[in-house]
Amino acid sequence: MTKKNIILILLVSCFLTIMAIAVWGKEPEQSSRVPVTGLQIRDENEEVITTVNENTAWKEKMITLQREKDFESFIYYFSVEILPENATNVSLDYEVSLGEEFVTLTKIESETQTNIHYFKIEFLEQENCRISFKTNKEDTRKTDYLLFAWEGEIGGGEIEI
Protein backbone atom coordinates (compact mmCIF):
# COMPACT_ATOMS: atom_id res chain seq x y z
CA MET A 1 0.00 0.00 0.00
CA THR A 2 1.14 3.43 -0.81
CA LYS A 3 1.08 6.42 1.47
CA LYS A 4 -1.72 7.95 -0.59
CA ASN A 5 -3.93 4.90 -0.06
CA ILE A 6 -3.28 4.88 3.71
CA ILE A 7 -4.10 8.61 4.01
CA LEU A 8 -7.23 8.13 1.89
CA ILE A 9 -8.40 5.24 4.12
CA LEU A 10 -7.77 7.32 7.26
CA LEU A 11 -9.69 10.31 5.85
CA VAL A 12 -12.65 8.16 4.80
CA SER A 13 -12.79 6.41 8.19
CA CYS A 14 -12.64 9.78 10.03
CA PHE A 15 -15.42 11.11 7.83
CA LEU A 16 -17.59 8.02 8.43
CA THR A 17 -16.96 8.25 12.21
CA ILE A 18 -17.99 11.91 12.28
CA MET A 19 -21.12 11.12 10.26
CA ALA A 20 -22.03 8.23 12.59
CA ILE A 21 -21.67 10.46 15.67
CA ALA A 22 -23.73 13.20 14.00
CA VAL A 23 -26.54 10.78 13.13
CA TRP A 24 -26.75 8.71 16.30
CA GLY A 25 -25.09 11.10 18.74
CA LYS A 26 -23.50 10.35 22.04
CA GLU A 27 -25.79 8.52 24.41
CA PRO A 28 -26.22 10.62 27.57
CA GLU A 29 -25.26 9.18 30.90
CA GLN A 30 -28.10 8.31 33.21
CA SER A 31 -28.04 10.64 36.20
CA SER A 32 -29.29 9.78 39.63
CA ARG A 33 -29.68 13.47 40.48
CA VAL A 34 -33.16 14.87 41.02
CA PRO A 35 -33.14 18.57 40.02
CA VAL A 36 -35.03 21.29 41.87
CA THR A 37 -38.26 22.26 40.10
CA GLY A 38 -39.48 25.13 42.27
CA LEU A 39 -39.98 26.85 45.62
CA GLN A 40 -43.06 27.22 47.81
CA ILE A 41 -43.16 29.89 50.48
CA ARG A 42 -45.48 29.13 53.39
CA ASP A 43 -46.82 31.48 56.05
CA GLU A 44 -46.86 30.89 59.81
CA ASN A 45 -49.96 28.66 59.42
CA GLU A 46 -48.08 26.43 56.92
CA GLU A 47 -50.34 27.61 54.07
CA VAL A 48 -48.82 28.33 50.67
CA ILE A 49 -48.64 32.06 49.99
CA THR A 50 -50.48 32.79 46.75
CA THR A 51 -50.80 36.58 46.97
CA VAL A 52 -48.43 38.13 44.43
CA ASN A 53 -47.33 41.76 44.28
CA GLU A 54 -47.98 42.63 40.62
CA ASN A 55 -46.55 46.16 41.01
CA THR A 56 -42.91 45.11 40.71
CA ALA A 57 -40.81 43.17 38.21
CA TRP A 58 -39.95 40.56 40.85
CA LYS A 59 -43.54 39.25 41.17
CA GLU A 60 -42.80 38.51 44.81
CA LYS A 61 -45.11 36.64 47.15
CA MET A 62 -46.64 39.05 49.65
CA ILE A 63 -47.59 38.92 53.32
CA THR A 64 -49.55 41.93 54.57
CA LEU A 65 -49.12 42.99 58.20
CA GLN A 66 -51.19 45.58 60.10
CA ARG A 67 -49.48 48.58 61.65
CA GLU A 68 -49.87 48.91 65.41
CA LYS A 69 -49.86 52.08 67.48
CA ASP A 70 -47.83 50.62 70.36
CA PHE A 71 -45.09 48.87 68.38
CA GLU A 72 -41.93 47.56 70.00
CA SER A 73 -40.99 44.62 67.80
CA PHE A 74 -42.82 41.92 65.88
CA ILE A 75 -41.79 38.31 65.24
CA TYR A 76 -43.10 36.25 62.31
CA TYR A 77 -42.33 32.63 61.42
CA PHE A 78 -42.45 31.23 57.87
CA SER A 79 -40.92 28.44 55.79
CA VAL A 80 -39.62 27.81 52.28
CA GLU A 81 -40.09 24.37 50.74
CA ILE A 82 -37.87 23.15 47.92
CA LEU A 83 -39.70 21.02 45.36
CA PRO A 84 -39.73 18.12 44.69
CA GLU A 85 -39.44 16.57 48.11
CA ASN A 86 -36.72 14.13 46.94
CA ALA A 87 -34.49 16.76 45.26
CA THR A 88 -30.81 15.87 45.44
CA ASN A 89 -29.45 19.23 46.56
CA VAL A 90 -31.82 21.20 48.78
CA SER A 91 -29.49 24.01 49.80
CA LEU A 92 -31.01 27.49 49.89
CA ASP A 93 -29.40 30.92 49.81
CA TYR A 94 -31.38 33.83 51.24
CA GLU A 95 -30.83 37.55 51.54
CA VAL A 96 -32.78 40.55 52.79
CA SER A 97 -32.72 42.87 49.79
CA LEU A 98 -35.03 45.62 51.07
CA GLY A 99 -35.30 46.87 54.65
CA GLU A 100 -32.27 45.00 55.99
CA GLU A 101 -31.72 47.70 58.62
CA PHE A 102 -35.23 47.17 60.05
CA VAL A 103 -35.29 43.37 60.41
CA THR A 104 -33.35 40.45 61.81
CA LEU A 105 -33.72 37.24 59.78
CA THR A 106 -32.75 33.95 61.42
CA LYS A 107 -32.80 30.47 59.93
CA ILE A 108 -34.15 27.81 62.30
CA GLU A 109 -32.42 24.47 61.87
CA SER A 110 -34.64 21.41 61.45
CA GLU A 111 -33.51 17.82 61.78
CA THR A 112 -36.68 16.20 60.45
CA GLN A 113 -37.34 18.05 57.16
CA THR A 114 -34.37 18.50 54.85
CA ASN A 115 -36.22 20.17 51.98
CA ILE A 116 -38.11 22.68 54.18
CA HIS A 117 -36.22 25.67 55.55
CA TYR A 118 -37.75 27.45 58.56
CA PHE A 119 -37.19 31.14 59.28
CA LYS A 120 -37.89 33.65 62.03
CA ILE A 121 -38.00 37.33 61.15
CA GLU A 122 -38.08 40.05 63.76
CA PHE A 123 -39.25 43.50 62.70
CA LEU A 124 -37.63 46.30 64.66
CA GLU A 125 -39.70 48.93 62.82
CA GLN A 126 -42.88 48.80 60.76
CA GLU A 127 -41.13 49.04 57.38
CA ASN A 128 -41.49 46.90 54.25
CA CYS A 129 -39.02 44.08 53.75
CA ARG A 130 -38.12 41.92 50.72
CA ILE A 131 -36.25 38.62 51.00
CA SER A 132 -34.81 36.75 48.02
CA PHE A 133 -34.44 32.97 48.02
CA LYS A 134 -32.20 31.08 45.57
CA THR A 135 -31.73 27.34 45.23
CA ASN A 136 -28.48 25.55 44.59
CA LYS A 137 -26.23 26.35 41.64
CA GLU A 138 -25.72 22.75 40.49
CA ASP A 139 -29.16 22.34 38.94
CA THR A 140 -31.29 24.90 37.21
CA ARG A 141 -31.35 27.75 39.73
CA LYS A 142 -34.79 28.74 41.01
CA THR A 143 -35.40 32.15 42.59
CA ASP A 144 -38.38 33.50 44.51
CA TYR A 145 -39.07 36.62 46.55
CA LEU A 146 -41.11 37.35 49.66
CA LEU A 147 -42.37 40.84 50.50
CA PHE A 148 -43.62 41.83 53.93
CA ALA A 149 -45.84 44.91 53.48
CA TRP A 150 -47.26 46.97 56.33
CA GLU A 151 -50.77 48.39 55.93
CA GLY A 152 -52.36 51.20 57.85
CA GLU A 153 -51.45 54.62 59.08
CA ILE A 154 -47.88 55.16 60.24
CA GLY A 155 -47.94 55.10 64.02
CA GLY A 156 -51.10 52.98 64.07
CA GLY A 157 -54.63 54.25 64.26
CA GLU A 158 -57.79 53.93 62.18
CA ILE A 159 -57.71 53.70 58.41
CA GLU A 160 -60.27 55.72 56.49
CA ILE A 161 -61.52 54.10 53.32
Side-chain angles (χ1 to χ4, degrees):
M1 258 196 217
T2 66
K3 289 182 184 181
K4 287 183 182 180
N5 289 342
I6 293 173
I7 291 175
L8 185 62
I9 292 171
L10 284 174
L11 287 175
V12 169
S13 64
C14 287
F15 178 75
L16 291 175
T17 304
I18 290 171
M19 291 305 293
I21 291 173
V23 170
W24 290 290
K26 183 179 176 186
E27 193 171 311
E29 297 177 16
Q30 295 297 324
S31 175
S32 61
R33 296 185 49 77
V34 177
V36 173
T37 59
L39 296 171
Q40 275 190 347
I41 302 175
R42 299 177 184 270
D43 63 11
E44 61 188 353
N45 299 324
E46 291 297 319
E47 295 177 11
V48 177
I49 298 172
T50 57
T51 306
V52 176
N53 183 9
E54 298 289 340
N55 297 329
T56 64
W58 294 285
K59 304 290 187 215
E60 65 251 346
K61 307 296 188 302
M62 190 164 75
I63 295 176
T64 305
L65 304 170
Q66 293 298 319
R67 293 187 192 274
E68 299 174 6
K69 189 172 188 177
D70 299 324
F71 180 83
E72 291 182 25
S73 69
F74 179 75
I75 295 177
Y76 192 90
Y77 295 92
F78 65 96
S79 62
V80 178
E81 182 178 4
I82 296 177
L83 300 174
E85 188 175 315
N86 61 341
T88 305
N89 187 343
V90 291
S91 61
L92 184 70
D93 296 330
Y94 56 94
E95 176 186 16
V96 178
S97 56
L98 172 69
E100 60 270 0
E101 62 272 10
F102 305 116
V103 299
T104 304
L105 181 63
T106 308
K107 183 175 180 186
I108 302 169
E109 297 298 327
S110 172
E111 296 176 8
T112 58
Q113 293 286 341
T114 57
N115 70 317
I116 300 177
H117 299 267
Y118 296 94
F119 294 92
K120 169 186 152 184
I121 186 167
E122 180 178 6
F123 289 88
L124 306 174
E125 293 185 29
Q126 298 179 72
E127 297 290 335
N128 293 350
C129 168
R130 180 185 309 113
I131 306 168
S132 63
F133 300 98
K134 296 178 183 173
T135 60
N136 58 71
K137 298 176 184 175
E138 296 164 4
D139 297 325
T140 304
R141 175 169 259 188
K142 301 294 180 186
T143 303
D144 209 347
Y145 300 92
L146 176 61
L147 175 69
F148 287 94
W150 291 86
E151 274 189 350
E153 187 178 307
I154 294 176
E158 293 294 319
I159 305 170
E160 292 185 24
I161 299 177

